[in-house]
Amino acid sequence: MRYLDLGIIVVYLIGITWFGARFKETQKSLKDYFLGGRNAPWWAIGFSIVSAETSTLTIIGTPALAFNGNLGFLQVVMGYLVARIIISTLFLPHYFRGEMYTAYELMRRRFGPNIRKLTAGSFLILRALAEGVRVFAISIVVSIILGTGDMLSIVVIVCLTLFYTFEGGMTAVIWTDVIQMFLYILGAIVSFVVILQAIPGGWNHVMDVTSAAGKLQVFDFRFEPTAAFFTRTYSFWAGILGGAFLTTASHGTEQLMVQRLLAAKTEGESRAALFSSWLVILTQFTLFLVIGLMLFVYYTDNGIARPAVTDQIYPRFIWEQLPVGISGLIMAAILAAAMSNLSAALNSLASTTIMDFYKILRPNGVESHFLAMARFATIGWGVVLVAIGFLARQWGSVLEAGLGIASIVYGGLLGVFLLGLLTKRVGEKAAMVGMTAGLLTMLYVKFGTPIAFTWYVLIGTSVTFLTGVLMSYLISEKSNTLETTHG
């Protein structure tokens, strides 16, 4: 047992929990608890977006992608930029008309209360399942540290995160995100340097070996009108289109991200946070992919057998090969990403539960009552995520499992939001039929076809949007517009 490493991890866990809980005194209202009082600077929100977009899945799954393949995942990151342009021009102006707490209030304004419940309910299911996979990813790291697969360790991490999220609300989420992001980026840079020093021949040797193995390829422009085109996960077309649709859905319609955009002081600051986050995302994904390439060279040069679970390659190298103290720091960094994501998920699940469901049932309730219920909802979702994490052990690659689960629901969410923003004819019933059709289609695509997950959101969005438009000609109903209903 390496007591120095374990000591560093324990000190970090205690320290970040204490830091987050210190924001309890600032939580006087739902605006404080769910939007941080709209007092956070744009750069902190930008870093928080990065932390929410990054997870243990990213840190342990991205190097594994490069280890097994090449740099093709960067094509998806290019799509992330396209999505930010769309969100900035199409979504943000509507979100900053009036005071919103959740993304689904926009759907109530445009369509009505039923579509609000449908979209909010879809988010709750989506985020619970996807976050459950991320919770399970913590067990991969903890099992390496402790030499055990004991899921009790997950409970400890969740409880610590739950404590400061319960106490400090969105303010604690944002500022702990900032600290945790710098910690895991620092950990990645340190591991990059150490791995490179462990490879005789240095960077030139890494380039020679990976180039000969075809691992430096970024772009795949092949375009053939066959079924194979849609089964390739990382092509230029799947990356640009799939990445754009995926991120437009996640950052434009999912409360986990929209909550951060709404927490900015102004629409301009929200936009600045959104675009600055992409620069950091591009840098960190490139860094983690390059780490995967270096690990490939290290394993190849030394004839080391690959772990049975490829996602263990990076954390196992850290724990077994890096100097004592440094490995503890980097493992703490990986746990930092996990806690950052978990705190964001807990707060966004609680905000949707209270604002889109509970509060509309108690229109005359007082603010203190809703604030207390928000904290209870946070605890309830913590229990749910632990339960799903226990079940997620059989779902394959953690990174692709998490993205695949999210993509099933994202298409329906994005499709119905686009119906609201781009059409005036479509009413609530037509939109609900369209979203239902999109969700059913994606269940078939996920479990009945070999189509790559990068296409899921595009397919689901298209089916939802086209079905909604078609049904608007078959269903006679009054349609609201956002211009006449905002306030």
Side-chain angles (χ1 to χ4, degrees):
M1 189 67 71
R2 297 158 59 172
Y3 294 106
L4 176 60
D5 287 327
L6 289 174
I8 291 173
I9 294 170
V10 170
V11 168
Y12 160 74
L13 293 175
I14 294 174
I16 199 67
T17 303
W18 170 81
F19 175 77
R22 291 176 63 247
F23 293 101
K24 177 181 179 180
E25 299 304 319
T26 65
Q27 307 305 298
K28 305 297 185 183
S29 66
L30 289 177
K31 183 177 180 179
D32 294 329
Y33 199 72
F34 290 143
L35 298 180
R38 282 188 162 166
N39 292 320
W42 66 266
W43 57 266
I45 295 174
F47 287 143
S48 184
I49 291 172
V50 173
S51 289
E53 203 166 352
T54 308
S55 67
T56 305
L57 305 184
T58 305
I59 295 177
I60 69 177
T62 306
L65 289 178
F67 188 98
N68 290 325
N70 53 33
L71 302 179
F73 188 80
L74 289 177
Q75 296 169 113
V76 179
V77 181
M78 296 298 110
Y80 292 176
L81 177 60
V82 176
R84 280 165 164 80
I85 296 173
I86 296 172
I87 294 168
S88 176
T89 56
L90 184 60
F91 287 76
L92 286 186
H94 290 289
Y95 281 138
F96 278 86
R97 288 177 180 163
E99 184 172 82
M100 291 190 190
Y101 287 82
T102 75
Y104 314 110
E105 293 178 53
L106 182 64
M107 291 295 93
R108 178 194 61 78
R109 293 180 182 182
R110 170 61 177 85
F111 292 116
N114 294 322
I115 199 74
R116 176 188 191 177
K117 294 176 184 176
L118 179 60
T119 52
S122 297
F123 160 72
L124 292 178
I125 295 172
L126 149 72
R127 182 43 47 200
L129 289 174
E131 202 63 35
V133 177
R134 291 175 169 182
V135 168
F136 163 64
I138 301 173
S139 72
I140 295 177
V141 178
V142 174
S143 66
I144 292 172
I145 295 174
L146 300 179
T148 174
D150 191 354
M151 301 292 282
L152 181 62
S153 304
I154 290 181
V155 178
V156 174
I157 299 295
V158 172
C159 286
L160 291 173
T161 309
L162 182 60
F163 178 73
Y164 74 72
T165 309
F166 174 90
E167 295 285 9
M170 190 62 180
T171 306
V173 171
I174 290 175
W175 288 108
T176 54
D177 278 354
V178 172
I179 293 175
Q180 289 161 329
M181 194 211 76
F182 279 107
L183 180 58
Y184 71 71
I185 291 295
L186 173 63
I189 293 173
V190 171
S191 61
F192 174 94
V193 173
V194 173
I195 296 170
L196 189 61
Q197 290 177 341
I199 298 174
W203 184 249
N204 290 333
H205 180 61
V206 171
M207 290 293 98
D208 290 340
V209 174
T210 54
S211 177
K215 289 186 168 294
L216 299 182
Q217 179 181 353
V218 175
F219 297 107
D220 179 359
F221 293 105
R222 286 178 293 168
F223 182 89
E224 61 277 280
T226 64
F229 177 73
F230 294 98
T231 59
R232 286 207 313 275
T233 304
Y234 303 115
S235 68
F236 177 77
W237 313 106
I240 293 295
L241 293 175
F245 273 82
L246 174 65
T247 306
T248 302
S250 65
H251 290 49
T253 73
E254 191 191 353
Q255 177 66 2
L256 181 75
M257 292 296 186
V258 174
Q259 189 172 3
R260 284 162 169 70
L261 300 178
L262 292 173
K265 297 175 183 177
T266 65
E267 181 183 337
E269 291 203 4
S270 182
R271 187 173 287 111
L274 187 63
F275 281 106
S276 63
S277 68
W278 180 80
L279 295 174
V280 181
I281 286 291
L282 173 64
T283 302
Q284 75 169 23
F285 268 116
T286 302
L287 177 59
F288 286 124
L289 287 168
V290 171
I291 287 173
L293 296 181
M294 293 194 302
L295 287 174
F296 172 82
V297 175
Y298 179 83
Y299 271 67
T300 302
D301 286 353
N302 292 280
I304 302 173
R306 302 183 181 187
V309 180
T310 312
D311 290 318
Q312 291 186 356
I313 286 177
Y314 180 44
R316 187 171 293 280
F317 176 88
I318 292 170
W319 193 246
E320 295 179 352
Q321 303 297 329
L322 297 192
V324 173
I326 293 179
S327 58
L329 172 67
I330 299 176
M331 282 300 195
I334 296 177
L335 292 177
M339 296 179 72
S340 173
N341 253 252
L342 186 57
S343 65
L346 289 169
N347 195 258
S348 62
L349 288 165
S351 64
T352 300
T353 302
I354 298 302
M355 302 305 298
D356 294 309
F357 290 99
Y358 186 76
K359 193 175 182 182
I360 60 179
L361 298 176
R362 300 283 298 272
N364 298 319
V366 296
E367 189 82 356
S368 58
H369 170 74
F370 291 127
L371 185 58
M373 293 308 297
R375 287 193 163 103
F376 282 121
T378 303
I379 294 175
W381 281 111
V383 174
V384 171
L385 295 185
V386 169
I388 296 175
F390 287 169
L391 299 174
R393 288 174 282 182
Q394 309 300 321
W395 293 355
S397 166
V398 289
L399 179 62
E400 295 185 352
L403 292 175
I405 290 171
S407 298
I408 293 175
V409 184
Y410 277 158
L413 279 175
L414 179 56
V416 81
F417 269 74
L418 292 179
L419 284 171
L421 297 174
L422 299 179
T423 73
K424 294 183 179 180
R425 179 185 180 89
V426 179
E428 186 176 40
K429 292 179 182 177
M432 292 182 71
V433 172
M435 186 172 178
T436 302
L439 292 174
L440 292 175
T441 299
M442 290 320 304
L443 287 173
Y444 168 74
V445 170
K446 168 67 176 176
F447 298 106
T449 75
I451 295 175
F453 78 87
T454 38
W455 293 104
Y456 285 5
V457 183
L458 172 57
I459 295 171
T461 302
S462 301
V463 171
T464 300
F465 189 87
L466 294 176
T467 302
V469 171
L470 175 62
M471 293 307 296
S472 71
Y473 288 94
L474 302 177
I475 300 175
S476 177
E477 58 181 328
K478 181 181 178 180
S479 175
N480 298 321
T481 63
L482 287 171
E483 289 73 23
T484 60
T485 57
H486 76 264

